[in-house]
Amino acid sequence: MEEHVRMQTACDFLLTNAHVLTMDDAFTVHASGAIAIDGAEIRAVGSIESQFAAREIVDCKGRVVMPGLVNAHTHAPMTLLRGLADDLRLDVWLMGYMIPVEREFVRPDFVALGTKLACAEMIRSGTTCFADMYYFEESVAEAAAAAGLRAMCAQTVLRFPSPDATSYEDALARARDFIARWKGHELIVPAVAPHAPYTCTAEIFRSCAELACEFDVPVHTHLSETSLEVEQSRREHGMPVVPWVKKQRLFDARVLAAHCVHVDEGEIRTLREAGAGIAHNPTSNLKLGSGVAPVVKMLELGVALGIGTDGTASNNDLDMFEEVRLAALLAKGISGDPTALPARQALAMATRIGAQAMHCGSITGSLEPGKRADLIVVDVDQLHNVPRFARDPHSVYAQLVYAAKSSDVVDVMCNGRWLMRDRRLVTLDENELRLAALDVARRVDRFLVHREQSVLQKLIAIGGATEEESFEVQIKARVASAELVMEALTGEEITVIRSVHYRQYDTYFFFDDPGQGRLRYREDTALDEQNRVSNVRSRLTLTGLSHEAAFGSVLLFRSRFLAPATHSPRFYREYFKPQREREIEKDRRRWLVGYRGAQFYVHLDRLLKPDSGGYFLEVKSRTWSRRDAQDKAAIIVELVERLGARGDQIVAEDYVELK
Ligand SMILES: [Zn+2]
């Protein structure tokens, strides 16, 4: 009788006695199984122990072995900005804090350090694959690859100047260069990231999609994060966000769309038809008050729906265990249905389906022969995991989602390489990262403390403030009736060059320290002959800084800072935090007149709020020469009298200070 000889295959690692969750399509579980790993690949999974002769055998008794978690949307370098500004509205948070600080600090070394810090945290909490979007994305790719993690790294393109590009063309060229050099890397998939519909033009979306198609790489973007974004899209383009980006041919490329909080069923279908993946970011959406994505609907319609933490500046961590739990709980809470998004499905979103959403489902996301060895070993013997029941094989999913913590992760392997063993990081030095991060925080603090001291600095930080220094002659007077002024304007010594009629809404912000000046948000609504609104214009002015000089009742010199008001008064209120504010509304008629060889503006204002019952006359002229101003100062007093205001009606104070 011939003896049965079983040949053993050589491999690098053999993980034995493990509770293996393969997370494959059939959700195969091996209550006591093994995994053979050779090189970067998984060779076999199941009762295969005896078939392999491994270089190293790892006994996983009492432990779960499962695929590494997939963080489908983050901004790794922003980990250096964790806790910088919280409990703010999205626009104030982004435009008021993140973007100004990024403009000042984000350089390749900042990006590299932030990414290393993020990678250390991700490895500790069991993540082996992440989708990133940031500036200097090459530094993200380098740091992630050195840390040994798998990542889709997308270079940001937007319509404003950014820390790494002065224009969108620059950013696009940077993306092209990055993609060309990193395509084919064993851990990194380079990609392009048109940031969001509210920060990109149609042309940017089109160019990014073309670039992605040319190199066959994915596009990573933010879509429909807030209801405001959707309203804006409807107003400007007459359609919600998803059809609009579709019109720009975005879906010619393979898309990973973060958020999709405010999408309707038709839009979800469009995303599915396009083969796009969605990254659900429950913590970030809750923290920024954006809402809750319709995940139950998305899953029902069969979209590849992954889970992401978003950047740590809006989360504030990269813990996928927490994110999966929240996703499952939130779906139940919102739908009122405890059977919605069961633990097994939630865990699939954080592994296999997340990898599909990132367009790398063929190589990672589940433990199957041929796939890369991206896996984690979880200690399920910790007190908070005890006891365990064997009756229902699915109970292991519930245990991992509802009871386990990221700190239960003991070992992490990515691409066949150990990144953490017995809770010790192999590829990164935690203490070094901690010290370097504290140093960056000190520098950012100094920058913000300096900025917060000055209203002007804060105005400059949000962009576009230009100083205007001028000599201005200006007189204000109370007048009893409008008719007298109008009649005087028809007199032959005064020539009316042009006139306009509008409604002016001013919001003044005052600060305890008068040396800060006062900030005025002005909105003009021009009225046509029939008193219909013909044009709306808004701007922001900071006045009252120290170099402003009055000469009797004539204001002679002033310096002011002007900025286009691109945000709402609400934004400025939350950003500048004034101690006091006042709203002034007036009906203004404005004439440009010629008088004794000089030109002046004549304003006739009727105060609507506060209603003082009277009219105010304001005559002014601005010039850039002191000499000219002095000449006009003599004429202006005469002009004011000719317009019917007596000397005793002249007021020194501004409307704003009226009681
Ligand atoms: Zn994001």
Side-chain angles (χ1 to χ4, degrees), residues 40 42 154 229 246 330 336 366 379 428 515 518 524 548 556 599:
I42 295 170
E229 177 188 338
K246 185 182 178 201
L330 201 53
S366 59
D379 179 1
L428 292 156
R518 68 181 187 212
D524 295 344
E548 197 156 307
L556 255 185
Q599 289 190 357

Side-chain angles (χ1 to χ4, degrees), residues 69 111 149 259 272 276 284 295 321 537 554 565 573 625:
L69 298 170
V111 170
L149 284 175
H259 304 304
R272 186 197 57 197
S284 171
V295 293
F321 275 84
R537 191 163 80 116
V554 183
R573 181 175 302 122
S625 120

Side-chain angles (χ1 to χ4, degrees), residues 73-75 133 195 220 222 225 258-259 281 284 310-311 314:
H73 177 68
T74 191
H75 310 278
M133 176 200 294
H195 177 266
H220 189 180
H222 295 112
E225 181 172 0
H259 304 304
N281 303 275
S284 171
D310 209 351
S314 60

Side-chain angles (χ1 to χ4, degrees), residues 382-451:
Q382 298 284 320
L383 202 64
H384 57 260
N385 289 324
V386 170
R388 287 197 304 282
F389 295 95
R391 178 190 51 90
D392 176 3
H394 286 175
S395 63
V396 64
Y397 297 107
Q399 186 182 19
L400 284 164
V401 172
Y402 302 128
K405 298 177 192 303
S406 57
S407 54
D408 299 336
V409 177
V410 184
D411 306 293
V412 175
M413 175 182 276
C414 185
N415 211 43
R417 178 187 182 194
W418 290 111
L419 306 185
M420 182 163 81
R421 292 213 78 171
D422 205 14
R423 294 196 170 89
R424 286 176 68 98
L425 297 184
V426 177
T427 54
L428 292 156
D429 182 337
E430 272 178 82
N431 276 330
E432 196 182 293
L433 291 174
R434 192 176 284 117
L435 289 175
L438 286 173
D439 185 55
V440 170
R442 269 192 290 274
R443 287 192 286 130
V444 173
D445 263 342
R446 264 203 301 277
F447 166 75
L448 280 179
V449 166
H450 172 72
R451 188 189 84 169

